[in-house]
Amino acid sequence: MNEEALLYRRLFASFATGVAVVVGESQGSVVGMTVNSLTSVSLEPLLLLFCARNESRSVESVLTTGRFSVNILGRDQQDISLEFAGKGDISRVECARRNGFAWVEGANAVFLCEVEQIYPGGDHRIIVGRVVSMSGSETVDELLIYFDGRYTALQSASLRYSVA
């Protein structure tokens, strides 16, 4: 990585982000990746986006079916983030499955999506998903946050609603 890219990366480390995992199913197995490039795009229709490296095998597996889930993690789910970041065994993560979707049990929020569009973004791809279903628990764990190269937590007192 060149000096300018390193500086860019270091400066963006001062921007706190939530932590989510994108999960899909490929050939009967759960696949996925940890992302912090997650953004709400539109309310009509419901769209969100995340970014993934062009050479990511995980995103290829996730996109093969055209369906994926976005799972917003709580403070106590740092281990899940690490597993999906390639620092563990994804098969140990409790995932539910239904109608071709897989998602993380116990996540603070879950969005089931179908691929709407994929755009080039330099060394990444921008994947836009149409939300077809979403849910969240009524009691929200502290949110898992990534800041300055480390995990931390943010307290939340909000109530979540469930939409089937």
Side-chain angles (χ1 to χ4, degrees):
M1 197 176 302
N2 68 36
E3 190 174 315
E4 189 172 48
L6 288 171
L7 175 61
Y8 181 82
R9 189 178 203 176
R10 185 177 61 77
L11 292 174
F12 254 98
S14 67
F15 181 64
T17 65
V19 180
V21 292
V22 174
V23 178
E25 233 184 330
S26 178
Q27 300 175 356
S29 297
V30 170
V31 294
M33 71 205 84
T34 298
V35 299
N36 63 2
S37 59
L38 175 64
T39 303
S40 168
V41 174
S42 170
L43 295 175
E44 290 184 31
L46 296 174
L47 299 174
L48 57 75
L49 71 76
F50 70 94
C51 300
R53 287 177 316 176
N54 289 332
E55 67 274 4
S56 168
R57 288 179 303 197
S58 296
V59 78
E60 286 302 324
S61 296
V62 166
L63 297 177
T64 56
T65 64
R67 293 178 168 194
F68 61 90
S69 67
V70 173
N71 305 267
I72 298 176
L73 302 182
R75 178 199 59 188
D76 294 333
Q77 294 176 313
Q78 179 178 331
D79 58 329
I80 293 172
S81 173
L82 291 169
E83 307 260 353
F84 279 93
K87 297 172 174 74
D89 180 6
I90 292 173
S91 67
R92 296 188 331 202
V93 178
E94 290 254 349
C95 288
R97 297 182 193 190
R98 186 178 71 222
N99 298 330
F101 287 101
W103 64 92
V104 175
E105 293 277 28
N108 275 333
V110 175
F111 301 90
L112 303 182
C113 303
E114 294 177 344
V115 174
E116 181 79 7
Q117 293 286 335
I118 301 173
Y119 299 99
D123 61 0
H124 279 62
R125 283 184 274 180
I126 302 160
I127 295 99
V128 177
R130 179 183 292 260
V131 178
V132 296
S133 182
M134 59 187 139
S135 65
S137 62
E138 289 190 28
T139 57
V140 177
D141 286 339
E142 290 182 3
L143 303 175
L144 184 60
I145 302 292
Y146 197 72
F147 174 70
D148 197 26
R150 295 184 299 265
Y151 290 100
T152 187
L154 176 68
Q155 285 187 310
S156 174
S158 63
L159 179 66
R160 295 287 184 210
Y161 299 94
S162 191
V163 178

